[in-house]
């Protein structure tokens, strides 16, 4: 007998002729998630199996795979010979901890139609043998405390307990690439996570305004990117020096438009980096009505400077729901560290909440937009990040 990890798909099952493409991408992402842990990855009859994992590493391997998008559920399973007595023996070993008293059922599936027993017969016969061997247990097919699963497939029989839920969604990379505007707040890491869950490979851009923001603020953002890569895979963070642009806005533009003009520069710079890196869209953590720059009118004005799609996965969510996701994926504690980002620099006392495009274009007319953007793009720092890197904070 050997142990393996049995992986069941999420939405991949719904795909038609493109299904092999999704499966191959999932296998690639599984390999990346395992990192230094060895294992043989095999696709078989709508499942993925990871064999030959060292026993000491199998629990860690399973934990990493629960974060891979495209996986519906997974479990550590016993791979045994397709022999009736061997199957019963291993099912009994799983039930042993519950022998003192519990309800159970057996769910069997015969994918190999050459096996002499049907799925129903397997379930009934194994259940009967387990009940005889453990008089303290009782069969309950509707609400059991424990379920033993048996799958008889082409290569082996697989015996395991209940599966752990996976991350769901689609394999990262099947939905193209996009650039997230990553701040140090709660929202943008969650937005990156949610788009990665829809199969998008995520890159990031961060605007850094030294000396108005500190090195700790920059480290905080890199750490947030690292935490997101636990789910999305490796990421490049493009750090853009934004100080000159913010000072130019402060010195030449009406105060009520400061944030809107700053956001327009961010969007245009992000788009140029995105196109250069093969990204087909931008991702923001904007949430309708959350702050003055996130009214419908304000978002129309800031989005007018780009010609690629802007994905806003949080736009209609309640803040408590965003916080709940941030807590679940492990970014919340870092996001609330008190290191402010450039969005808090030169914040107007009375920001314009219902601007028109003409008003904002007129407000920024004293700026040499092209020259400011060109200088900002000259020295972009590209930082490659993976979850296996050492934490910065």
């Amino acid at each position: 007998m050997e142990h393996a990890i049995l992986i069941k798909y999420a939405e991949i099952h719904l795909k038609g002729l493109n299904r092999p493409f999704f499966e191959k991408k999932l296998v690639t992402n599984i390999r990346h998630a395992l990192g230094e842990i060895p294992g043989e990855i095999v696709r078989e009859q709508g499942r993925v199996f990871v064999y030959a994992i060292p026993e000491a590493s199998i629990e860690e391997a399973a934990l990493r795979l629960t974060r891979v998008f495209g996986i519906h559920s997974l479990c550590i399973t016993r791979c045994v010979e397709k022999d009736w007595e061997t199957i019963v023996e291993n099912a009994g070993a799983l039930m042993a901890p519950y022998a003192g008293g519990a309800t159970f059922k057996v769910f069997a599936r015969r994918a190999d139609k050459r096996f002499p027993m049907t799925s129903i017969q397997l379930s009934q016969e194994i259940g009967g043998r387990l009940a005889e061997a453990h008089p303290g247990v009782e069969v309950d097919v509707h609400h059991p405390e424990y379920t033993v699963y048996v799958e008889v497939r082409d290569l082996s029989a697989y015996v395991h307990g209940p599966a752990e839920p996976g991350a769901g969604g689609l394999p990262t990379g099947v939905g193209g690439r996009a650039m997230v505007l990553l701040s140090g707040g709660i929202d943008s890491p969650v937005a990156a996570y949610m788009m990665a869950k829809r199969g998008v490979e995520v890159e990031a851009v961060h605007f850094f305004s030294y000396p108005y923001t500190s090195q700790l603020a920059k480290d905080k953002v890199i750490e947030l990117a690292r935490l997101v890569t636990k789910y999305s895979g490796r990421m490049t963070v493009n750090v853009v020096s934004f100080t000159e642009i913010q000072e130019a806005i402060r010195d030449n533009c009406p105060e009520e438009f400061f944030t809107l003009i700053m956001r327009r520069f961010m969007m245009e710079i992000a788009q140029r980096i995105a196109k250069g890196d093969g990204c087909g869209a931008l991702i923001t953590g904007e949430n309708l009505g959350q702050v003055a720059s996130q009214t419908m009118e304000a978002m129309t004005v800031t989005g007018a400077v780009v010609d690629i799609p802007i994905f806003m996965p949080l736009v209609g969510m309640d803040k408590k729901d965003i916080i709940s996701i941030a807590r679940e994926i492990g970014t919340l504690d870092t996001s609330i560290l008190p290191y402010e980002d450039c969005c808090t620099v030169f914040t107007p006392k009375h920001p314009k909440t219902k601007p028109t495009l003409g008003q904002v274009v007129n407000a920024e007319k004293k700026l040499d937009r092209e020259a400011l953007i060109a200088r900002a793009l000259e020295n972009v720092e590209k930082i490659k990040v993976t979850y296996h890197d050492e934490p910065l904070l």
Side-chain angles (χ1 to χ4, degrees):
M1 181 198 75
E2 69 168 315
H3 286 89
I5 298 176
L6 183 160
I7 297 168
K8 297 182 181 181
Y9 300 160
E11 294 182 44
I12 294 176
H13 275 303
L14 304 178
K15 304 304 175 184
L17 296 177
N18 289 328
R19 180 167 162 175
F21 166 70
F22 287 82
E23 291 175 332
K24 289 176 183 177
K25 179 58 71 173
L26 177 61
V27 168
T28 298
N29 294 347
I30 288 170
R31 180 68 273 162
H32 287 160
L34 290 175
E36 78 288 355
I37 300 175
E40 180 188 358
I41 304 170
V42 177
R43 285 187 290 153
E44 179 196 337
Q45 293 178 295
R47 301 280 192 271
V48 175
F49 293 88
V50 186
Y51 297 103
I53 302 174
E55 187 173 348
S57 302
I58 197 163
E59 294 285 350
E60 172 62 21
L63 176 62
R64 293 184 187 184
L65 296 183
T66 60
R67 304 164 183 154
V68 175
F69 292 129
I71 293 178
H72 173 268
S73 61
L74 59 89
C75 61
I76 298 172
T77 183
R78 295 165 174 244
C79 311
V80 302
E81 295 292 328
K82 292 188 291 184
D83 170 75
W84 166 245
E85 291 297 334
T86 303
I87 293 172
V88 172
E89 177 185 346
N90 281 273
L94 290 180
M95 277 298 302
Y98 303 90
T103 59
F104 82 101
K105 79 171 183 178
V106 176
F107 181 87
R109 180 172 180 269
R110 184 193 64 164
D112 179 5
K113 302 307 179 185
R114 296 168 299 177
F115 193 78
M117 303 177 72
T118 67
S119 298
I120 294 175
Q121 289 172 333
L122 274 167
S123 298
Q124 293 173 339
E125 294 297 328
I126 296 172
R129 288 283 294 270
L130 295 182
E132 290 176 7
H134 304 292
V137 302
E138 181 179 343
V139 174
D140 182 346
V141 297
H142 298 294
H143 303 289
E145 297 174 72
Y146 188 76
T147 301
V148 176
Y149 294 87
V150 176
E151 292 193 42
V152 180
R153 304 177 71 84
D154 286 347
L155 299 179
S156 299
Y158 301 90
V159 184
H160 59 87
E164 292 291 324
L170 296 172
T172 300
V174 300
R177 304 180 71 202
M179 182 75 67
V180 61
L181 281 73
L182 189 64
S183 71
I186 295 171
D187 299 339
S188 56
V190 174
Y193 162 86
M194 292 182 68
M195 293 311 304
K197 188 171 184 177
R198 299 312 307 156
V200 175
E201 184 180 345
V202 179
E203 299 292 310
V205 59
H206 173 65
F207 296 91
F208 182 52
S209 293
Y210 182 82
Y212 301 106
T213 56
S214 67
Q215 180 64 39
L216 284 173
K218 177 180 171 182
D219 290 346
K220 173 184 174 180
V221 170
I222 303 305
E223 176 63 9
L224 286 171
R226 187 189 73 85
L227 293 171
V228 172
T229 63
K230 176 169 60 175
Y231 301 91
S232 68
R234 55 197 172 191
M235 182 189 303
T236 298
V237 180
N238 298 272
V239 180
V240 178
S241 177
F242 205 54
T243 307
E244 181 188 4
I245 291 174
Q246 288 193 284
E247 290 177 338
I249 294 170
R250 176 198 62 189
D251 296 340
N252 294 281
C253 303
E255 182 183 357
E256 64 183 337
F257 294 106
F258 280 2
T259 302
L260 291 167
I261 296 171
M262 177 191 72
R263 290 285 298 170
R264 281 163 61 84
F265 272 97
M266 287 180 172
M267 298 293 277
E268 188 163 355
I269 291 169
Q271 175 176 254
R272 296 196 191 189
I273 297 173
K275 288 183 175 182
D277 288 355
C279 296
L282 301 180
I283 303 168
T284 72
E286 290 170 295
N287 179 261
L288 186 62
Q290 181 171 240
V291 294
S293 63
Q294 294 177 15
T295 64
M296 190 177 299
E297 294 85 354
M299 288 191 287
T300 299
V301 167
T302 56
V305 295
V306 303
D307 56 19
I308 60 176
I310 304 170
F311 296 147
M312 303 177 186
L314 314 185
V315 70
M317 295 180 64
D318 290 341
K319 189 67 175 184
K320 65 180 180 62
D321 296 325
I322 300 170
I323 291 172
S324 177
I325 297 172
R327 183 178 290 112
E328 178 185 340
I329 67 177
T331 58
L332 180 62
D333 289 345
T334 301
S335 291
I336 62 178
L337 291 173
Y339 311 133
E340 296 182 328
D341 60 39
C342 69
C343 293
T344 61
V345 178
F346 310 136
T347 302
K349 292 180 181 179
H350 303 288
K352 191 78 169 176
T353 59
K354 293 187 176 182
T356 66
L357 182 57
Q359 288 174 333
V360 179
V361 170
N362 184 63
E364 63 187 21
K365 65 183 179 181
K366 292 183 180 179
L367 300 174
D368 188 342
R369 288 183 59 87
E370 189 57 39
L372 288 168
I373 291 172
R375 286 195 291 274
L377 290 170
E378 283 176 358
N379 297 301
V380 176
E381 181 184 8
K382 291 185 174 288
I383 302 173
K384 295 188 181 299
V385 182
T386 75
Y387 187 66
H388 305 298
D389 295 340
E390 287 295 321
L392 288 178
L393 300 174

